Amino acid sequence: MQVVPRLIDEVVKRWPWTPASKVTLLAIEYDTGDEEQNKKFLEDIRSRVQLVYRCNIPQPLKADDNGKELYTDKGWGCALRVMQMMLAQGFVSFRLGREWRFDAEKDLKPGSEYMDIVSCFLDEPSAPFSLHRFVGEGWRLLRKAPSVWFGPTSGARVAADLFRQAQEPDTAVQAPHFLKRLACVTFEDGVVYKEKVQLHFDAGASGVLFFVCRRLGVEKFNFAEYQKGVQ
């Protein structure tokens, strides 16, 4: 669990330049040219849940009708790992708040809020948002076999379906209790419909996580055009 923070520390030591500009991380701005601000920025980025490619996965990934098995997502699982990280950050914001910072002594204790969150993304079939379940649902919903790259929209569609499964009463998924109070909506056409979100609140949800599938640019991002919607 502490590998990524240590890796970030080592990378920072070897940067060939000293950052002297302002950086915005999840709506918080830091002046990284200031020593104290830079320290706070590094504490913030160390606290984000980061999930990467993995080799030698203990339980192979299975999905298609030919019984294909894979033990790694290297080279094709990037979009799924990004989707996992987006979900993880949503859960952290919902359960711990934006000001939360990782504390190994507290957060790595069994039963902690943090451990409940990261358990959702273990590389095993029983975890609600594991790579295994993304691959399995990708095949069922979209006929995407293991090793086939997912796009942002297809990943969001699968995530919303996995959310629904995690909230079903009779399921083999080991979902932490807080998931029962969350809902998820995917807007595939890029337009947010307030009514769809409100339905979940009316049904008793404490929070609604939603994905807005919209291409903001191919080669560059026109910030002036999309600024209002992004904010």
Side-chain angles (χ1 to χ4, degrees), residues 32-50:
T32 55
D34 178 81
E35 183 177 353
E36 187 61 29
Q37 284 280 300
N38 192 51
K39 180 181 178 181
K40 290 182 178 180
F41 165 68
L42 293 175
E43 289 175 350
D44 194 350
I45 199 169
R46 289 190 195 105
S47 299
R48 301 310 112 206
V49 178
Q50 299 180 52

Side-chain angles (χ1 to χ4, degrees), residues 82-122:
V82 169
M83 184 59 61
Q84 287 181 320
M85 287 188 281
M86 291 173 62
L87 288 168
Q89 180 55 40
F91 298 166
V92 166
S93 297
F94 178 69
R95 296 298 296 164
L96 302 172
R98 181 62 184 89
E99 299 303 318
W100 169 84
R101 297 294 180 267
F102 178 75
D103 180 338
E105 184 176 353
K106 175 183 177 181
D107 294 317
L108 294 182
K109 290 182 178 179
S112 70
E113 296 272 15
Y114 178 78
M115 293 300 288
D116 278 350
I117 291 170
V118 297
S119 70
C120 293
F121 308 97
L122 296 175

Side-chain angles (χ1 to χ4, degrees), residues 146-157:
S147 78
V148 173
W149 186 79
F150 277 67
T153 299
S154 54
R157 287 182 60 188

Side-chain angles (χ1 to χ4, degrees), residues 16-68:
W17 48 273
T18 300
S21 60
K22 293 183 179 180
V23 176
T24 300
L25 176 62
L26 296 174
I28 296 181
E29 185 178 89
Y30 298 95
D31 182 355
T32 55
D34 178 81
E35 183 177 353
E36 187 61 29
Q37 284 280 300
N38 192 51
K39 180 181 178 181
K40 290 182 178 180
F41 165 68
L42 293 175
E43 289 175 350
D44 194 350
I45 199 169
R46 289 190 195 105
S47 299
R48 301 310 112 206
V49 178
Q50 299 180 52
L51 302 164
V52 298
Y53 291 144
R54 183 180 179 186
C55 296
N56 301 317
I57 297 175
Q59 299 187 57
L61 302 165
K62 302 178 181 181
D64 63 23
D65 296 334
N66 297 319
K68 184 177 182 179

